[in-house]
Amino acid sequence: MATTQANNRRDTLAKRYLETRELSNTLIAPLSAEDACVQSMPDASPAKWHIAHTTWFFETFLLKSCESNYRPFHEAFEFLYNSYYNGVGAQYSRPDRGLITRPSLDDILGYRQYVDARMGDLIETLDAGDPAIDLIELGINHEQQHQELLLMDIKHLFSLNPLYPSYASGAPAISAPEPHALGWRTHSEGIGEFGSAGSSFCFDNETPVHKHYLEAFEIADRVVTNGEFLAFIDDGGYQSPLLWLSDGWSVVNEHSWLAPLYWRQVDGVWHEFSLRGLHPLDLSAPVCHVSFYEADAFARWSRARLPSEYEWERVAASRTLNGNFLDLSCLVPKPASIEGSYRQLFGDVWEWTHSAYTPYPGFKTAPGAVGEYNGKFMSNQMVLRGGCCVTPPGHTRVTYRNFFYPHNRWQFAGIRLARDLAR
Amino acid sequence: MATTQANNRRDTLAKRYLETRELSNTLIAPLSAEDACVQSMPDASPAKWHIAHTTWFFETFLLKSCESNYRPFHEAFEFLYNSYYNGVGAQYSRPDRGLITRPSLDDILGYRQYVDARMGDLIETLDAGDPAIDLIELGINHEQQHQELLLMDIKHLFSLNPLYPSYASGAPAISAPEPHALGWRTHSEGIGEFGSAGSSFCFDNETPVHKHYLEAFEIADRVVTNGEFLAFIDDGGYQSPLLWLSDGWSVVNEHSWLAPLYWRQVDGVWHEFSLRGLHPLDLSAPVCHVSFYEADAFARWSRARLPSEYEWERVAASRTLNGNFLDLSCLVPKPASIEGSYRQLFGDVWEWTHSAYTPYPGFKTAPGAVGEYNGKFMSNQMVLRGGCCVTPPGHTRVTYRNFFYPHNRWQFAGIRLARDLAR
Amino acid sequence: MATTQANNRRDTLAKRYLETRELSNTLIAPLSAEDACVQSMPDASPAKWHIAHTTWFFETFLLKSCESNYRPFHEAFEFLYNSYYNGVGAQYSRPDRGLITRPSLDDILGYRQYVDARMGDLIETLDAGDPAIDLIELGINHEQQHQELLLMDIKHLFSLNPLYPSYASGAPAISAPEPHALGWRTHSEGIGEFGSAGSSFCFDNETPVHKHYLEAFEIADRVVTNGEFLAFIDDGGYQSPLLWLSDGWSVVNEHSWLAPLYWRQVDGVWHEFSLRGLHPLDLSAPVCHVSFYEADAFARWSRARLPSEYEWERVAASRTLNGNFLDLSCLVPKPASIEGSYRQLFGDVWEWTHSAYTPYPGFKTAPGAVGEYNGKFMSNQMVLRGGCCVTPPGHTRVTYRNFFYPHNRWQFAGIRLARDLAR
Amino acid sequence: MATTQANNRRDTLAKRYLETRELSNTLIAPLSAEDACVQSMPDASPAKWHIAHTTWFFETFLLKSCESNYRPFHEAFEFLYNSYYNGVGAQYSRPDRGLITRPSLDDILGYRQYVDARMGDLIETLDAGDPAIDLIELGINHEQQHQELLLMDIKHLFSLNPLYPSYASGAPAISAPEPHALGWRTHSEGIGEFGSAGSSFCFDNETPVHKHYLEAFEIADRVVTNGEFLAFIDDGGYQSPLLWLSDGWSVVNEHSWLAPLYWRQVDGVWHEFSLRGLHPLDLSAPVCHVSFYEADAFARWSRARLPSEYEWERVAASRTLNGNFLDLSCLVPKPASIEGSYRQLFGDVWEWTHSAYTPYPGFKTAPGAVGEYNGKFMSNQMVLRGGCCVTPPGHTRVTYRNFFYPHNRWQFAGIRLARDLAR
């Protein structure tokens, strides 16, 4: 009986492992070896690096420790494809990842096959309580994160090419110009429990469950649209220092920001670059690729504010986890649907919160090198919630904490407004 | 009767105004015109600038709005000594403040007298409820902040001079090598009220009062000593990436940090530079001039953590606000006293918390240009609590939130450890 | 009769055009599309860019002006593959050339075929005196320069890959440890003519012929070896400020230079990275990939100096233009032969002179956009003479002036010593 | 008899020593201690540093070697006021010279008196052939160079102050708008001798005398005026890449140059900042504070070129060395006089040549630390000739080679045009 359950869990794991690995292969299919090799900025990585590094993760944390006498695919890969795990050893310089033209993309696909074959064998042998199971689960979720990063990074790379290549063909249909009106939902004050109890998979940064007190608040029932953000631009938002955080105002001026990252004016008409190329801006679609600073300034201009991550989680807690997630037939955020008391909570765009990314009360890092997974990044970044249109389905959840620096814009980040209730 | 009260409050205000202004004059007395003119780094300002800008504050926010036909002391000063108030107008470039050799120090002292005379006249005329009273109170507290900054900045400037000049003569006495042992105090979980109700003066960032839930925690009954921090150094703390936040590890390596900001090795013996010159390191005195990153790494090495600002405030709430504050006969942090259930909570060194400097729930900025005072800095910085040995007496309080970037070290910042209680 | 000569010249030109174009194709044959796409530093360009830009040169300066109704291969290429010709129009950002993953390498090979076909047609139609002939000649020489740059850039790219890939297989044989002893040749003082009369092809920077007076001097009969340079290193050359130009000493310290660009210590043994991979340092081979600063410091340490470009040209004027030029079976500088009154004057390594790259007396730039070819670079650079082991055969000549910034090291640059004669 | 001559020379030397030292004191008299302490950019030094360093020169190279048991004025000064002599020892960081508020200006004036007294004693004892005499002569010339630098640096500092303080009172009178027309003078080709024979004092970089062949050339009989340069600006000179050297075009765009360094538009009217404050631009006065790049671009726009340093020297060789040199009643370059076959050759503005600053044939550096005086700067800089309105009288000469980087603008540098003669 227990054996059957173990077998079932093992089979499920094997299936999810293979599906996840296969999705990565699908994602790079539209890319040439050249596309997959180049790094467009230090924050981004080559697609080839992503699919090598996710393989490295399984090789390093599973095969090297579980397989006796495991022979690495290539001795240098431990160094070359280690992202940031000092506990494993030294790392090849991050801003130089794009210089590694050899091993080739084909070599890395061979690396994937080599590791997948051995991982298949390994999963076969696992007992129900084997700690390797949790590490494989972590590796699957880790690869999903890199699938999203891979699409973010390719979008950034292609955006710098004056030919504006498309990752996928076919510009999205433009919606009717008027989005469903924005409504506000009220939440009363009180104490609640937040974070994950860890009964199903979560990252360490979502733990432990803990109490937090919330004041009453209002929150918008959909995210901000391109049309609404354009009104901010047209009202001189990028030229009004009083709307901005001081650090944000410095960044705006240093980089001469005038619009979201991928907006372009073509003959006086606003366009947006997406994974489907350059096309006219859809005013009803969510504004996307804004920094925390821009989200915060827009909210101030709107006489509102960003929600805290606790507020967001309270709102999301009772909702069904449906949304516009990674789907090769879409790949762009979509306008809000007409119905539903909350729209776009999950998927479409990550939603900036005004919560700094800090450890939850009682947070502990895992022992060993995987303890470096999340904890060491808990400074200077802000939390985003909800997932986006390039987040693999099933990857995000109510307690999921994404995080980026307040100046970052290349992730699919948008805005949901909140407000204090008069007291 | 009401008139008498108003007169009393007015007299008190006049007295406090004069005392505060006089303290600034006292603080620059040991400085030559050259000392007062130079800027040692973009984060710092010349002493002359501090005493001009604090005067500008009263001229701009009081005299210009309250005095009809006020004639400015000098037309260019509105531009020259505006720190960051975009609502007032453009500002002279901050990193270039040290280039302003003219007006001279004597000119600025004349500016102070000019403004003080008119401020004296203005205070005479104020009725009890005049909103100018709150602005004068703000101006006094503003000048106190700059008094601390002035000493921080002079210390930094003198530290870069190979002759190590002293601001005040006489090295501090070295304490007995063994500090009173560190004890831990336990606090139980529960909900509480935090922040200031604003009945007496506070900065806007301390408001509004709000509820917050705290888990049970332990906190150290004194701050970390130089001797304890030296053990961290000797154990290779600055060479162990696993102890550090990722951003901190980058900063450590970029700047080749090996010790707190003002530690110097002289013939193999650790010395510390203070406002009293270069002298042997006092192992019992509080470690000071560490960044948030160093505080955090030290705490991790100690199998502890930094407190949150809420934890600190709960601990401090019931304590008497005594401590080693600005006193020209001291000017250095002192070793912990032997007695007392908490030592050094107030004064000696500002204590890093792991709380990011974000707005309290329900926070509103003040209308007008003074609304830029605090709110626009609420990103990327961390909260420090308690005051230090160069904070003017009476300036800090239980709810006071100081803030610096996690890499800043030139403020008098130290470390108090905290721990989770097992759950 | 005249027609026959014109036909002959045309046929020769067609043949040289095709051979040159074919050599570029041969040079990229060992490269993958990934190798050809990446840019390792702002000074370098992707191999794909080199073969596109050399094609652009013919398209822009020949086909667009000579062919009526010429239809460009791709509209965006005028912008994308313009290097620095402001007279032609705007240019895609140089440091970002490596971001252009599309057009693909295959697309660019198609571009080459398209242009080559039309160029073949064009050459057919040219009369003897057609000014296009000179432009085609320039284009051929231009492409030869980019052939050398392509190999320099690939070497640099591969050197940053910890796997040290080889462009060509087979490490060079190590020579006998003792090179033929260095001899000195004396030249008497006098006035002479220098530069090119322009009867056969030369670049504009070699003109006009002009008189120059030279003092008597001595010059070495071979270039400096790795072994000799190693003695400089072992004598603390990189740590002795008195040996260096002031700017050079700054660069040495800023970049922590300790040896020539491609020297690597492997387990305490000096190796050199070449187009044939990483292999033990050949002490008899010429030192290569040193900056002007290193060449100058080495000369000072040797109680000698670098020659002027006039001294070099006088020495070279009467010599046969043989040497170790681009040859896919070699690709590395070779030790000096035993015989010959001068060795390695041509080929092996470019020889730094102490002459700044300035216009010759009477220099005029050509009219039109090709006037930007050389003249606008005549500041801050130093002249090198003689050609190297990756210079295409037939490309260099006695009057040829190569030029690089004094800190540049990725070109194949070496050292020939000179000395004043006692007066 | 010989004794009398020695005494005379000694007396002359003593007199010139005292006069030179006195001039430095005169130059700083208008400065406050604050003015004298601050450093406006890394290229500049504080006035206090200049007067300390010139004193250090005599202390280090004369008193320390000639006086037995010399007791230094202050032990730390050897380090603190060493500019760049690695042969003497380590140096305090150059960009941080402005941080040294202590020693005070008064302390440094005391240092000057201390050294002057001992130097007076030393000169008394010198025999005619004592090598110290040459070093004192060098020290005098060295101090004259720093007198010019001091005025350059103060001008730069004051220019960054929005109050535009004046070093000397009284704006210069504006000349009649039309300058005397520019004429051209022709020189025939031929070989000549250049450089200094060293019979009277010169710097090492002017030696040895050597032959050089010159082509025939034309040269302007006065320097370029502000009015002529304004026509270049109004013709879009700063926006036309084809007029510029490639490196110059980069600098123009990086720094957004639109006019010479000290030109300012006030309500649409061009003004110039000088040591006499901000005043309307004198169109007849020489253009000043242009970089080599601007001088070169202006010359190209004028269908002319800059002269070589040899051409300049040939022209100047037979002229009387009169001109507008340092004179506290002037301090600005003056319009050309109406008469004279050459005007402004000496004084007014240094004249950019297109000659790179490289060693003359046969150049040898002096032995010892003073060998670092000039030779190590012989890369990346361009030669200027003739002296300017802040060069001390008697300091410059026909063979004098001044040198600055091509992007430098804070020296008093102007433009004299030259042209090739048709051949």
Side-chain angles (χ1 to χ4, degrees), chain A residues 86-87 191 208 210-211 213 215 241-242 245-247 293 356 362 364 372 375-377 379-380 405-406 420 423, chain B residues 86-87 191 208-211 213 215 241-242 245-247 293 356 362 364 372 375-377 379-380 405-406 420 423:
Chain A
N86 295 305
I191 203 162
H210 61 284
K211 294 197 183 71
Y213 181 85
E215 305 283 346
L242 298 179
L245 287 164
S246 179
D247 287 349
Y293 296 127
K364 300 263 178 295
E372 296 181 64
K376 73 180 179 183
F377 301 108
S379 65
N380 303 308
Y405 290 98
D420 297 328
R423 296 200 287 180
Chain B
N86 294 305
I191 203 162
V209 167
H210 60 285
K211 295 198 182 72
Y213 181 85
E215 304 282 345
L242 297 179
L245 287 163
S246 179
D247 287 348
Y293 296 127
K364 300 263 178 294
E372 296 182 65
K376 73 180 181 184
F377 302 108
S379 67
N380 303 309
Y405 289 98
D420 298 327
R423 296 198 288 177

Side-chain angles (χ1 to χ4, degrees), chain A residues 94-359:
Chain A
R94 178 184 174 121
D96 295 333
R97 286 175 184 167
L99 302 179
I100 305 303
T101 59
R102 306 183 187 190
S104 69
L105 179 57
D106 279 346
D107 293 337
I108 295 304
L109 293 176
Y111 178 38
R112 284 183 78 81
Q113 287 178 344
Y114 179 91
V115 165
D116 284 350
R118 272 146 197 82
M119 281 297 299
D121 295 347
L122 174 63
I123 294 174
E124 280 289 301
T125 68
L126 294 178
D127 289 328
D130 195 309
I133 290 176
D134 285 348
L135 280 169
I136 293 171
E137 190 67 56
L138 181 63
I140 289 171
N141 279 271
H142 171 259
E143 182 139 357
Q144 289 178 319
Q145 291 183 304
H146 281 277
Q147 288 163 350
E148 178 166 341
L149 287 165
L150 187 156
L151 290 170
M152 284 160 53
D153 293 352
I154 280 294
K155 183 171 180 178
H156 187 261
L157 171 65
F158 283 2
S159 79
L160 299 173
N161 188 324
L163 303 181
Y164 289 118
S166 302
Y167 171 79
S169 59
I174 293 290
S175 322
E178 286 304 307
H180 193 57
L182 186 149
W184 294 89
R185 301 280 177 265
T186 303
H187 290 259
S188 57
E189 68 182 17
I191 203 162
E193 291 214 329
F194 297 87
S196 171
S199 56
S200 59
F201 175 81
C202 71
F203 287 117
D204 55 359
N205 62 8
E206 303 167 50
T207 65
V209 167
H210 61 284
K211 294 197 183 71
H212 186 84
Y213 181 85
L214 280 180
E215 305 283 346
F217 66 98
E218 281 190 309
I219 193 162
D221 70 346
R222 65 160 170 77
V223 294
V224 170
T225 65
N226 284 324
E228 288 159 351
F229 201 84
L230 184 55
F232 167 78
I233 296 177
D234 290 343
D235 193 39
Y238 281 93
Q239 289 78 41
S240 303
L242 298 179
L243 294 175
W244 296 80
L245 287 164
S246 179
D247 287 349
W249 185 240
S250 299
V251 170
V252 162
N253 287 286
E254 184 186 348
H255 298 293
S256 304
W257 283 353
L258 297 170
L261 177 58
Y262 294 127
W263 288 27
R264 298 282 183 277
Q265 280 210 321
V266 181
D267 299 331
V269 178
W270 280 114
H271 285 61
E272 186 171 22
F273 178 72
S274 81
L275 288 167
R276 298 189 171 281
L278 190 68
H279 42 75
L281 186 68
D282 183 346
L283 296 177
S284 298
V287 68
C288 192
H289 297 291
V290 290
S291 65
F292 170 78
Y293 296 127
E294 289 160 298
D296 175 83
F298 176 85
R300 191 165 292 111
W301 176 81
S302 307
R303 302 185 183 280
R305 59 169 174 80
L306 301 177
S308 73
E309 66 168 321
Y310 287 105
E311 289 169 341
W312 191 96
E313 189 169 326
R314 168 173 291 184
V315 170
S318 54
R319 312 283 151 192
T320 312
L321 216 154
N322 290 333
N324 173 18
F325 293 116
L326 173 55
D327 172 353
L328 289 174
S329 70
C330 182
L331 296 172
V332 296
K334 289 193 293 195
S337 60
I338 293 180
E339 286 163 25
S341 57
Y342 282 101
R343 290 157 296 164
Q344 301 159 315
L345 264 180
F346 303 107
D348 287 311
V349 291
W350 288 100
E351 302 179 16
W352 282 110
T353 73
H354 73 62
S355 299
Y357 179 51
T358 50

